[in-house]
Amino acid sequence: MKAPFIIAVAASLVLPNLCQASEIKVLASVAMKDAYLELIPEFEQATGHKVSAAWSSTPDVQKRIAAGEAADLIILGDSGTEELIRQGKLAAGSRVNFAKSSIGVAVRAGAPAPDISSADAVKRSVLAAKSVAYSAGASGIYLVSMFQNLGISDQVKSKTATVKPGEPVGEVVARGEAEIGFHQLSELIPVKGIQIVGPLPSEIQNITVYSGGVHSATKEADAAIALVKFLTGPAAAPIIKKHGLQPG
């Protein structure tokens, strides 16, 4: 999608309010980072608003907002969104789906690609690997249950590589600290030094819906809503897809 068209779409959302440019604070899942780093400057250029974004895992975003951290727009895994709604942290009626992400599998560049064609194949490949890495975010929460369902939870625990909070799993794999890694596809794509083998097979795949909304205590509701409309509009969809996500 041509940048001038994206700018035109953004401008149509908020041109009447250009004289009231705002700073919008966003706290969002790192799964959205690369797509939004490309989109946000277009929004800023067209509208005059400024966006300050912080990126973290879904559990951390949820914890920080629940503890009282200020933000105007919050984006995280859907289960976290539902909890923040129950806590009254998101403005009534502001909930929206931003994107969907599947879990991908990666190995170090040049390493043999493991068989991930079926659930049984994934099980064999994980058991054969000397070390395994996955995040503490939405994908990692699912993977813990997946390994349990495959009956290999204990074996995986004994060889799980350390992944620091907010660290891309792909970087752990690229350094050779894990033989096989699992992470949201959008978080594997930007990492150099790895080979993305593919997504998990459909029988054990998990699609994370990233949703969120405007903070119930925001003082920049109009600007935050304009950003929501831009990020979920049709002009943003090709860039979201380019970064391994599906529009919400």
Side-chain angles (χ1 to χ4, degrees):
M1 185 66 63
K2 298 290 186 180
F5 180 63
I6 294 178
I7 293 172
V9 171
S12 71
L13 295 172
V14 292
L15 272 175
N17 295 319
L18 275 176
C19 60
Q20 300 175 357
S22 303
E23 181 173 348
I24 308 164
K25 183 175 180 180
V26 178
L27 181 56
S29 168
V30 72
M32 315 298 293
K33 182 177 180 178
D34 284 86
Y36 284 2
L37 286 179
E38 185 169 347
L39 286 167
I40 285 172
E42 303 289 354
F43 174 82
E44 292 179 323
Q45 182 179 349
T47 67
H49 295 313
K50 296 299 179 183
V51 179
S52 173
W55 315 95
S56 192
S57 66
T58 286
D60 186 57
V61 170
Q62 181 181 340
K63 180 179 178 181
R64 288 162 64 174
I65 295 299
E69 182 168 337
D72 301 304
L73 177 61
I74 305 150
I75 305 171
L76 69 169
D78 209 36
S79 61
T81 296
E82 295 301 327
E83 181 58 31
L84 291 179
I85 290 173
R86 285 192 289 271
Q87 295 172 5
K89 297 294 186 179
L90 295 183
S94 73
R95 184 193 181 284
V96 65
N97 291 345
F98 289 88
K100 301 174 183 178
S101 179
S102 60
I103 297 174
V105 184
V107 295
R108 196 174 188 181
D115 183 2
I116 59 169
S117 59
S118 67
D120 285 341
V122 171
K123 178 178 179 177
R124 291 192 298 270
S125 293
V126 170
L127 289 174
K130 295 179 180 178
S131 51
V132 180
Y134 54 90
S135 80
S139 63
I141 292 170
Y142 167 74
L143 284 161
V144 170
S145 65
M146 185 192 82
F147 293 140
Q148 289 173 341
N149 292 335
L150 292 175
I152 57 174
S153 181
D154 289 341
Q155 294 94 319
V156 171
K157 286 180 182 178
S158 67
K159 57 183 178 182
T160 299
T162 299
V163 179
K164 299 175 183 177
E167 181 179 30
V169 169
E171 292 184 2
V172 178
V173 174
R175 293 196 299 265
E177 296 172 10
E179 193 171 309
I180 186 170
F182 300 83
H183 211 176
Q184 302 290 4
L185 189 58
S186 63
E187 296 183 64
L188 290 174
I189 288 174
V191 180
K192 296 180 180 180
I194 64 171
Q195 173 190 350
I196 298 175
V197 182
L200 284 172
S202 59
E203 60 194 295
I204 55 172
Q205 179 61 264
N206 183 70
I207 303 299
T208 299
V209 176
Y210 288 95
S211 59
V214 176
H215 198 295
S216 56
T218 182
K219 296 181 180 179
E220 304 294 349
D222 289 345
I225 290 170
L227 178 57
V228 169
K229 290 180 179 179
F230 175 65
L231 295 175
T232 57
I239 292 174
I240 289 172
K241 290 179 180 179
K242 184 178 78 173
H243 290 278
L245 298 159
Q246 289 297 318

